[in-house]
Amino acid sequence: MQIRKNNRSNLVTVGTLVALCGGAASTLAQLGAFPASDFESKSVLPFQLELAINAKAPTTMSATLMRAGIVRAMHGTQNCYASNLTAEQWQNLLDQFQFLPITQTPMDPDDPFGDRFNVDTFKWGPTGSANSLYPANAASLAILTVSFPNDGVTWGLANSGFATGANALGASLTSQFTDLDRGREYLRACLGSWRKYGGITYTEVADNNTAMDNSSTHNNARGDIRIGGISLNGQSGVLAYNCFPASGGLAGSLTGGDMVINTAYFNDAGSFNSTTNNYRYFRNTCTHEHGHGLGFIHQVPCNSTKLMEPFIQTSTDAVRVDDRRALGRSYGDRYSGNQSLGTAVNFGDLAARSIAARDLSLNGYWNNGSNATGADYFKFTLSGTQNIKIITTPTGGTYTTGQQSNSCTGTTTGYATSSLGDLAYELTNDDGTVSIGLVNATSLGAAESFTFTNLPAGSYALRVWDNNAANLTGGSNPNTIVQLYDLEIQAGTNIYADPYANAGINKRIAANTTCYFIGDINSQATETRTAVLLNRYEWDLDGDGVFEVGVAPAASVPKPTFTYVSNGTYPVTLRVRDNQNKTGTDTIYVSVYGATTTFTGNAVSGDQGTILPFTMIGTNLKNVTSSSMVQVTTGTGVTVTGTPIPNSLGTQVTGLSFVIAADASLGGHNVRVSNSDGNSTNVNFLTVTQAPVACPGDLNNDTFVDDADFVLFAAAYDLLDCNDPSMPVGCPADLNNDGLVDDSDFVIFATAYDAFLCP
Ligand SMILES: [Ca+2]
Ligand SMILES: [Ca+2]
Ligand SMILES: [Ca+2]
Ligand SMILES: [Ca+2]
Ligand SMILES: [Zn+2]
């Protein structure tokens, strides 16, 4: 769906949104901008739209029909709109697109709870193919890939009503953000804000640069979610549009989950280039669009409380309560999949740590497992006896929401979303066989809290579930009633909870380009017992397990950069720290491609008949994983052995040795490193030298121990001390290597002299 643009003040934003989506006309009256225009007694269309309709419609009846058609289309359209459209823009949009129903089905009659959070009947399945139908796959994890097609690739779908065009997102991002990857990282943060709450993982992959299409089937050659941009008739009021996951539900003919951003709004200080709140205007646009890509529908009223409202709003950031409920419904919470003891989320040792895992979700009456995804399992350990207080608190609040409906006559309903479920939990031993405590003292809408005093060291399992039998709807809708909740596991007294870290998504970057990271958009403090805020962002960017950026006494670095020189996959870890000095970490994987292999290390030399360890220095050596990837390419008699040990950045490899045969050719040998990442030859890296002949006493190296050697020995004997400056270099007459040329050496010399010929 499109999200519409607003570039006026916040106050006008709210007023305009209300005007467009129905509801409090009084706000409009205050603004004086849009005279209230009653529509079916419930909704209000903006004055400009009324003008446009009246200009287009020859009769009152046709104007009424047109209004109805517009409203009907607006609930399902993939195009998402600016909110300050002029009468001329409304007129143009009417002329060009008629707001015809690109998508249509108002709501699934088999799924009466669907409209509560406005979700499509199709979602992404676990492996990135979008064909997963309710209710069988409700609240289940989706593993999605993401890619950015090259500029020039044909982008857009004609069924959107907009012409297709050559993708220009790369140039637009580069222009606005100075650097392509910096711009992309803000887009990745949009996906990261869905990952923050929902059971979705994102991994960026290469794109095969085929034209945008409707495919809902996973393809290893490109991302499930592809992101590009073209001009949508200039600044037409349409900021972007995005396809739904799969056809058959509300998606109409726009499927496949891909995003089309209107490049005409880049470098516009009033919209995409507004830097306020970390480019929230741009981020909310793209985060909203991807919401459609996840199967989420526009919601009303437009009161700036939901990301999926049809018109852009910037008074709240990214994914809000109703959006989280939609996530919980379709994909589960961020621990999605923890529906059994075997897949429990393990919080580790809580003897001196506390957990505040917020915005988790349950989806219906668990009923001893009859609802397979209806319970959440966790584990923790205690390294020592501790008092452990476990609190489950239903969240969500009471609010009004509904899908923009075909009747536009009040499908919005007030929902008390904190009191849908009856939370209960049970603490058991590690394998669930021994109950330590079942806590269910309160009913709908109330927290459960209990302190387990002097809980001994050991391992524990915790199951949280919805005990409201009314939520077992049976038949077509089991497991569809979302109850958001916070889980707190508090150790001891005032041991505050660790903050939540979010480093974005698994990303892909070309080698030797600046790679951007953002830690301060989606990370968050979690403790509410005291005032906490994140005040430090630390990073392990090279993936060696050591935090090297933003660590005290250096300054915190919320948005670091790094340049990788070697292909490979790097675990990058963000560690956030709050003012209680509590930390949380998040690891993303950075896939680096396109590096150039070099092998530049200083040459080494070794004797015939020896094994010579060596170190390679260069770039793009991270994937040198076998000794067969390093070969001696000139001369004879030298092989490579050992197991290569690349360093984390692929600039050094140790662990290998040359095996130099006794008859190896003397002199320089070229050494070549070669694997699928590339190759490089280090000319004359190895010089093979002749081994010294083992013939003590042959001081002049003529293979005989004779009088000539004795003359040399005697001279050395007279000097005695190997450190004497007159002693020949290396003190060759010190035959027993004790630093002196004395009688004990003479004994050895005499024996050799008697033998005369070297062996
Ligand atoms: Ca859950
Ligand atoms: Ca309860
Ligand atoms: Ca490091
Ligand atoms: Ca000696
Ligand atoms: Zn939209």
Side-chain angles (χ1 to χ4, degrees), residues 26 79 105 339 354 468 479 585 588 648-649 665 669 688 713:
S26 59
N79 300 325
T105 312
Q339 61 215 39
S354 292
N468 182 6
N479 72 6
T585 61
I588 60 171
S648 61
L649 290 176
S665 58
H669 292 242
V688 173
F713 182 85

Side-chain angles (χ1 to χ4, degrees), residues 332-338 360-363 373 375-376 378 485:
D333 59 42
R334 64 180 171 277
Y335 298 132
S336 189
N338 64 329
L360 304 183
S361 64
L362 297 169
N363 49 292
T373 61
D376 287 348
F378 306 91
Y485 73 100

Side-chain angles (χ1 to χ4, degrees), residues 237-391:
V238 176
L239 296 169
Y241 69 87
N242 202 106
C243 297
F244 278 90
S247 60
L250 290 154
S253 58
L254 293 175
T255 64
D258 297 345
M259 189 184 298
V260 182
I261 302 172
N262 187 348
T263 53
Y265 286 101
F266 282 99
N267 293 308
D268 176 356
S271 58
F272 288 178
N273 203 24
S274 168
T275 59
T276 307
N277 293 317
N278 274 317
Y279 292 93
R280 182 183 287 169
Y281 194 113
F282 179 60
R283 286 190 298 107
N284 273 9
T285 298
C286 299
T287 308
H288 169 108
E289 292 308 324
H290 181 60
H292 294 315
L294 294 174
F296 303 149
I297 307 163
H298 282 164
Q299 300 149 265
V300 295
C302 300
N303 54 3
S304 297
T305 61
K306 301 174 288 296
L307 177 67
M308 296 313 293
E309 294 171 16
F311 294 81
I312 181 75
Q313 57 94 358
T314 56
S315 47
T316 59
D317 198 279
V319 178
R320 312 313 303 167
V321 167
D322 196 65
D323 312 305
R324 293 168 207 163
R325 301 191 69 241
L327 273 173
R329 153 61 176 263
S330 289
Y331 301 99
D333 59 42
R334 64 180 171 277
Y335 298 132
S336 189
N338 64 329
Q339 61 215 39
S340 68
L341 203 57
T343 57
V345 171
N346 196 331
F347 289 129
D349 186 1
L350 298 184
R353 286 172 53 230
S354 292
I355 298 296
R358 304 197 181 277
D359 302 293
L360 304 183
S361 64
L362 297 169
N363 49 292
Y365 182 41
W366 174 65
N367 191 28
N368 270 327
S370 62
N371 170 6
T373 61
D376 287 348
Y377 284 81
F378 306 91
K379 287 190 172 184
F380 64 90
T381 59
L382 292 177
S383 56
T385 300
Q386 181 59 284
N387 294 338
I388 295 292
K389 184 178 187 179
I390 299 176
I391 309 165

Side-chain angles (χ1 to χ4, degrees), residues 20 28 32 35 141 164 172 179 233 404 460 468 585 604 627 665 669 682 709 726 728:
L20 287 169
L28 296 179
L141 180 73
T164 63
S172 300
D179 184 290
N233 291 343
Q404 282 183 301
Y460 298 91
N468 182 6
T585 61
V604 297
S627 61
S665 58
H669 292 242
N682 190 324
D709 297 300
S726 300

